[in-house]
Amino acid sequence: MECEKADEVVAEPVSPIGQYFNSSTLSISILAVLELEVPFDDSLAIPLLKDIFLPINPRFSSIMVVEKNGVKHWKSVEVKLKNHVYVPNFPVGMSQQFYDKCLQDYLSKLSAEQMPQSQPLWEVHIVKYPTSNAASSVIFKLHHALGDGFSLMGALLSCLQRADDPSRPLTFPSVRMRPDINGSSIFKNVPKFFNTVFNTASDFCWSMIKSSLIEDDKTPIRSGSAAAGWLPITITTMTFPLHQIKQIKDNLGATLNDVITGTIFLGIRLYMQAVNQESTNLHSTAVVLFNTRMFKSISSIKEMVKPGSKAPWGNHFSFLHISVPQLTNAEVQNPLKFIQKAQEIIQSKRSSFGAYLTAKLLETVKKLRGHETAAKFIHGSLNNSSLAITNMMGPVEKMALANHPIKGLYFMVAGSPQSLVVTIVTYMGNLRVSLGTEEGFIDSPKLKSCIENAFEMILDAASATP
């Protein structure tokens, strides 16, 4: 069946963030890549989309329309499924390395293409050629206006099953709150309260300044190009075992996010040093995106769409500006000191409500000046910084798509006005880091090598520390 006709008109308003991310200033999409262990049978694509994907959420069968008063809402339309499925043709009988390059070029092309506004904002691309990592690949391109990574990951996982037993649900790593080792004495909480107030005010003011007045230095990871968000990107991935990251975490008394973020920061500084010694410690800022829902683990779609859900569907996230620490010679010799410095910066940001105030400010700007002005504020926050980092939690068990086992997965944010975007996802005991780099500006293989070297340095230092 070629199309699926909507049964009812959906008049759901478009969320504020959904409007910001689909504006004349910004057009942000998410590319999610599933690496399959066997060739995918593309004849299954249309039935799977019709029976499983479209029913997940009405937005997958809707387009964004604008009323005369400028208000946007989702309008249900007839979905011509064949217009959303693409199967690229490459030369046959070539090597895996050849198809690695074909896939990389294809993803780069996808990252720069805008989806037509006349049909629902999603696409599926089936690459039926063997690469170094997979027998075939399935790429979902989903516009960020449909929802954030938390929502879209939940939707994607709703189309998948456990490979070992499809009747059982997928499970995810537990989310644990860090214990308060200092106790809960009122005398200890008073300075903590004032520290939170100070950090909140500082972060909020800094966010305002970064969005409008001050931009990062131009460095080997930041071109400063005004067209960065509309240019193709090169996607490069690397994998780290979670048990090794946990080893470092336990050694430092840090969190997994502290370790991997610190590792990325160290790799970036090493890359800057290798490309241009004079740029090593120039001012660089990372925009770190995080989920603002009360419940942090992936939820089922049924839970997301319930009224009053603690993990609702949509775009529920905010961002923090985190300075990339400068790198000293002593920290090259003992990289754990660099990780600890990064951890201190991140912890000060955690004890702040600056991101929530920024979200409220955006709502106010939208009400007073419209969504285009609010989108320009977000664009300024991203464009004036050097990189963005976002992460997702994937399942513990191996997944399958219509009985096609999934060997690995990764995702990338396309359309961000930065030269570097870093995404992170866990799956089956591994952590996959993806680098989205401005094509022709950043040397992706060298940056990847520097981050991998940084991880080895940190792991060696942690292993040598009693």
Side-chain angles (χ1 to χ4, degrees):
M1 184 175 182
E2 182 175 347
C3 60
E4 176 73 8
K5 190 169 182 179
D7 295 323
E8 57 181 330
V9 175
V10 177
E12 179 188 4
V14 178
S15 70
I17 294 180
Q19 296 187 56
Y20 309 153
F21 281 177
N22 190 27
S23 65
S24 62
T25 305
L26 288 170
S27 182
I28 308 291
S29 298
I30 297 174
L31 300 176
V33 182
L34 303 179
E35 298 171 327
L36 307 183
E37 292 184 352
V38 296
F40 184 71
D41 181 0
D42 59 325
S43 68
L44 299 175
I46 297 298
L48 284 171
L49 292 171
K50 174 181 176 295
D51 298 332
I52 299 176
F53 182 75
L54 288 185
I56 288 173
N57 194 288
R59 294 185 192 182
F60 296 148
S61 303
S62 304
I63 61 172
M64 191 182 294
V65 297
V66 185
E67 298 296 335
K68 293 181 179 179
N69 58 4
V71 175
K72 292 185 176 182
H73 69 259
W74 295 105
K75 178 184 177 182
S76 183
V77 296
E78 182 181 46
V79 183
K80 297 180 179 180
L81 291 173
K82 286 187 177 180
N83 292 345
H84 292 261
V85 179
Y86 301 83
V87 184
N89 290 312
F90 303 146
V92 297
M94 307 301 285
S95 67
Q96 291 181 344
Q97 290 71 26
F98 177 85
Y99 293 126
D100 286 344
K101 184 64 166 57
C102 288
L103 177 60
Q104 185 181 80
D105 291 345
Y106 191 78
L107 287 169
S108 178
K109 176 173 172 286
L110 272 185
S111 71
E113 289 181 344
Q114 302 301 307
M115 286 185 279
Q117 299 288 314
S118 58
Q119 64 183 35
L121 299 172
W122 59 269
E123 299 171 355
V124 176
H125 300 257
I126 303 169
V127 179
K128 301 171 63 177
Y129 301 89
T131 64
S132 298
N133 294 325
S136 61
S137 304
V138 176
I139 306 163
F140 285 79
K141 184 175 182 179
L142 306 159
H143 202 288
H144 219 313
L146 297 169
D148 56 17
F150 186 95
S151 297
L152 298 178
M153 178 65 82
L156 183 60
L157 295 178
S158 295
C159 301
L160 309 175
Q161 312 85 33
R162 280 181 60 155
D164 60 343
D165 186 352
S167 66
R168 299 174 63 190
L170 292 164
T171 59
F172 299 84
S174 59
V175 180
R176 298 178 182 176
M177 301 298 292
R178 296 185 69 187
D180 184 359
I181 60 175
N182 295 318
S184 57
S185 167
I186 187 172
F187 298 106
K188 293 178 180 178
N189 285 335
V190 168
K192 185 184 295 185
F193 169 77
F194 284 108
N195 187 54
T196 298
V197 172
F198 174 80
N199 287 336
T200 297
S202 175
D203 289 344
F204 179 68
C205 292
W206 180 238
S207 179
M208 292 285 293
I209 293 171
K210 285 296 294 180
S211 299
S212 55
L213 298 175
I214 298 178
E215 62 181 72
D216 282 1
D217 295 321
K218 292 183 180 180
T219 67
I221 64 164
R222 181 176 185 268
S223 69
S225 171
W230 310 101
L231 298 174
I233 61 175
T234 298
I235 301 175
T236 309
T237 72
M238 63 198 88
T239 302
F240 302 105
L242 269 176
H243 75 271
Q244 292 182 338
I245 299 175
K246 290 178 180 178
Q247 178 184 338
I248 301 170
K249 172 188 78 73
D250 293 339
N251 182 291
L252 294 175
T255 67
L256 290 176
N257 280 340
D258 291 339
V259 173
I260 193 60
T261 303
T263 300
I264 290 166
F265 285 168
L266 178 57
I268 285 172
R269 286 300 188 192
L270 293 175
Y271 173 78
M272 294 167 69
Q273 189 177 69
V275 175
N276 182 354
Q277 181 73 34
E278 295 180 357
S279 73
T280 301
N281 284 324
L282 291 178
H283 181 64
S284 298
T285 306
V287 173
V288 179
L289 307 176
F290 64 95
N291 174 25
T292 58
R293 295 168 177 84
M294 294 177 62
F295 189 64
K296 304 301 181 183
S297 183
I298 297 291
S299 299
S300 68
I301 294 299
K302 290 182 179 180
E303 289 297 322
M304 285 187 187
V305 299
K306 282 183 179 179
S309 171
K310 292 182 179 180
W313 179 279
N315 280 290
H316 298 273
F317 70 93
S318 192
F319 55 85
L320 287 173
H321 290 92
I322 297 180
S323 295
V324 179
Q326 294 190 346
L327 179 63
T328 66
N329 290 331
E331 289 161 350
V332 174
Q333 299 300 318
N334 184 1
L336 295 185
K337 290 183 178 180
F338 184 89
I339 297 296
Q340 289 169 334
K341 186 160 63 174
Q343 180 188 7
E344 290 172 1
I345 295 172
I346 295 169
Q347 284 180 338
S348 70
K349 298 294 183 178
R350 285 200 188 105
S351 63
S352 164
F353 294 98
Y356 295 91
L357 290 182
T358 301
K360 292 297 182 183
L361 172 66
L362 283 171
E363 291 182 14
T364 303
V365 170
K366 176 183 175 294
K367 290 178 182 178
L368 298 178
R369 302 290 300 275
H371 72 274
E372 288 286 348
T373 302
K376 289 179 180 178
F377 180 90
I378 295 177
H379 183 277
S381 295
L382 297 172
N383 190 53
N384 289 350
S385 61
S386 297
L387 70 149
I389 302 178
T390 182
N391 66 80
M392 287 297 303
M393 189 183 300
V396 174
E397 302 87 10
K398 177 177 286 190
M399 302 181 294
L401 174 64
N403 296 320
H404 296 68
I406 296 173
K407 182 179 179 181
L409 76 156
Y410 59 95
F411 73 100
M412 179 49 61
V413 178
S416 178
Q418 294 160 309
S419 299
L420 174 61
V421 175
V422 181
T423 65
I424 304 162
V425 65
T426 61
Y427 179 53
M428 290 179 58
N430 289 308
L431 187 143
R432 191 78 170 268
V433 176
S434 303
L435 308 175
T437 56
E438 183 179 325
E439 198 169 84
F441 178 70
I442 293 179
D443 186 340
S444 300
K446 179 176 285 190
L447 177 57
K448 174 183 175 180
S449 177
C450 287
I451 294 175
E452 290 175 334
N453 288 342
F455 181 73
E456 291 300 325
M457 290 167 56
I458 294 164
L459 182 62
D460 289 345
S463 300
T465 303

